[in-house]
């Protein structure tokens, strides 16, 4: 879908949508103001991921600003993750769904200057994870059950190598993302996936912790996950909620014993790779 200057939506042309803001833009000629007006355009025309914005020349005419201002505005929207920009005759700006990784980057930029501790994070997980898991139970399919089983098997602590053990503790979070993928509440799903991603990227453990401690943590996680899976297969949402709450309490204790802490650094763009769980194709 591509919007052009003459197109109408609900009886309104694109010119009418931005007419009230045009004088303000002409006075200030600022890219961030144009970016705001483009956001209004996207909202009012109900544009969706995959829809294209008008070409640069059309946007220049629409907002009455220079090419450099339009490019500055589009660059701002691209950095925010709202559009992608391609070149060539059929190129331009395309609306995209903001990826979780980009959202995490902005959130962590904020949290970098806050005094957030592991205790704070697990206090939130104790509230959110039981409700997420219980809410997912009616919607879990055989694909989800198989993915949960595979995750438990892959995270069994069969090695004494500390690096491998720490990696498995990060992979334990995939179990929670699998449950999140089945929960129909998008906001609750977002909150839990965001916390899981933070834990993957930023938690570091003491280098003085014996591998046996990490292995014990892994065994406890595998045991809890197995019990949660069994209850979920029985469609017992209340028991899943109870087991997940106990799991969060136990996991918090292990993290404290292992001296797990948030790494006080900013996440780099180069580190941001998609990680939230997606069901493998072709399985039922």
């Amino acid at each position: 879908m591509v919007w052009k200057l003459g197109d109408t939506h609900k009886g309104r042309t694109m010119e009418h949508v931005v007419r009230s803001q045009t004088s303000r833009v002409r006075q200030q000629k600022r890219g961030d103001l144009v970016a705001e007006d483009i956001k209004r355009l996207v909202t009012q025309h109900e544009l969706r991921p995959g829809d294209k914005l008008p070409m640069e020349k059309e946007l220049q005419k629409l907002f009455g600003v220079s090419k450099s201002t339009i490019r500055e505005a589009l660059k701002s929207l691209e950095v925010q993750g709202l559009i992608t920009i391609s070149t060539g005759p059929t190129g331009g700006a395309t609306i995209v769904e903001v990826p979780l990784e980009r959202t995490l980057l902005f959130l962590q930029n904020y949290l970098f200057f806050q005094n957030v501790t592991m205790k704070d994070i697990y206090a939130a997980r104790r509230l959110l994870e039981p409700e997420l898991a219980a809410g997912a139970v009616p919607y879990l399919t055989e694909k989800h059950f198989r993915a949960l089983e595979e995750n438990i098997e892959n995270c069994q602590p069969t090695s004494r190598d500390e690096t491998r053990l720490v990696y498995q503790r990060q992979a334990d979070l995939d179990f929670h993302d699998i449950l999140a993928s089945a929960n129909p509440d998008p906001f609750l799903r977002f909150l839990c996936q965001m916390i899981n991603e933070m834990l993957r990227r930023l938690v570091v453990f003491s280098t003085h912790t014996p591998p046996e401690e990490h292995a014990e943590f892994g065994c406890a996680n595998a045991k809890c996950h197995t019990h949660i899976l069994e209850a979920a297969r029985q469609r017992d949402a209340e028991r899943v909620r109870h087991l997940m709450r106990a799991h969060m309490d136990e996991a918090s204790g292990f993290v404290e014993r292992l001296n797990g802490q948030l790494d006080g650094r900013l996440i780099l763009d180069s580190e941001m790779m998609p990680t939230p769980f997606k069901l493998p194709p072709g399985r039922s």
Side-chain angles (χ1 to χ4, degrees):
M1 179 180 181
V2 181
W3 279 94
K4 297 182 180 179
L5 286 179
D7 291 343
T8 61
H9 179 70
K10 297 181 179 179
R12 308 176 73 199
T13 65
M14 290 178 67
E15 293 94 330
H16 182 73
V17 167
V18 298
R19 189 175 298 153
S20 61
Q21 290 90 29
T22 300
S23 60
R24 172 173 59 86
V25 177
R26 284 177 174 162
Q27 289 172 3
Q28 300 187 34
K29 297 282 188 179
R30 294 175 55 187
D32 57 343
L33 294 179
V34 176
E36 289 182 0
D37 286 335
I38 293 175
K39 286 183 178 181
R40 293 187 182 94
L41 182 150
V42 170
T43 301
Q44 292 166 345
H45 284 269
E46 299 179 358
L47 301 186
R48 307 300 299 168
D51 293 340
K52 282 186 172 291
L53 292 178
M55 301 300 286
E56 281 188 9
K57 288 184 179 179
E58 293 184 86
L59 290 173
Q60 283 180 249
K61 181 178 178 181
L62 179 62
F63 295 110
V65 296
S66 66
K67 178 188 291 187
S68 62
T69 299
I70 290 297
R71 290 187 172 179
E72 181 183 346
L74 293 176
K75 185 62 179 178
S76 172
L77 296 175
E78 185 181 38
V79 170
Q80 294 175 52
L82 290 169
I83 64 171
T84 58
I85 301 174
S86 57
T87 58
T90 61
T94 303
I95 306 295
V96 295
E97 183 177 348
V98 180
L100 183 68
E101 295 77 27
R102 177 59 54 183
T103 309
L104 170 65
L105 204 60
F106 289 131
L107 178 63
Q108 200 267 333
N109 286 347
Y110 167 77
L111 293 177
F112 178 75
F113 299 102
Q114 309 301 314
N115 186 28
V116 179
T117 67
M118 292 298 294
K119 184 177 180 180
D120 298 327
I121 291 176
Y122 271 89
R125 293 194 83 197
R126 285 190 189 95
L127 295 173
L128 298 175
E129 286 286 349
E131 298 310 311
L132 176 89
V137 169
Y139 303 95
L140 290 168
T141 67
E142 194 57 36
K143 285 184 179 181
H144 292 104
F145 289 131
R146 279 208 282 262
L148 291 167
E149 289 171 349
E150 291 173 7
N151 175 263
I152 293 171
E153 182 178 349
N154 292 335
C155 291
Q156 291 283 359
T158 57
S159 170
R160 289 177 57 83
D161 179 73
E162 185 174 343
T163 301
R164 172 66 180 170
L165 289 169
V166 171
Y167 169 79
Q168 286 182 318
R169 300 298 65 75
Q170 294 172 337
D172 281 333
L173 294 166
D174 294 347
F175 183 91
H176 299 266
D177 278 339
I178 295 168
L179 292 174
S181 72
N183 191 298
D185 184 334
F187 189 63
L188 180 58
R189 186 170 62 242
F190 163 77
L191 291 174
C192 293
Q193 287 180 329
M194 186 66 61
I195 293 174
N196 291 345
E197 196 66 5
M198 283 185 60
L199 293 174
R200 281 192 193 93
R201 305 289 182 184
L202 294 174
V203 171
V204 292
F205 293 100
S206 170
T207 57
H208 302 294
T209 305
E212 291 79 11
E213 291 278 355
H214 285 288
E216 185 180 351
F217 188 13
C219 288
N221 282 343
K223 182 178 179 180
C224 288
H225 288 175
T226 299
H227 290 161
I228 290 169
L229 174 58
E230 291 171 351
R233 278 196 175 277
Q234 296 169 5
R235 304 297 180 182
D236 189 342
E238 191 54 45
R239 178 157 174 74
V240 166
R241 180 183 286 109
H242 171 77
L243 290 169
M244 184 62 79
R245 188 177 295 115
H247 176 34
M248 289 297 98
D249 288 338
E250 185 178 48
S252 176
F254 270 109
V255 170
E256 185 176 354
R257 280 171 48 191
L258 295 171
N259 196 25
Q261 298 180 1
L262 288 177
D263 191 1
R265 65 181 180 84
L266 290 168
I267 298 177
L268 307 179
D269 280 8
S270 59
E271 297 178 75
M272 301 313 296
M273 298 291 289
T275 56
F277 171 77
K278 290 183 175 61
L279 282 174
R283 299 175 62 181
S284 59

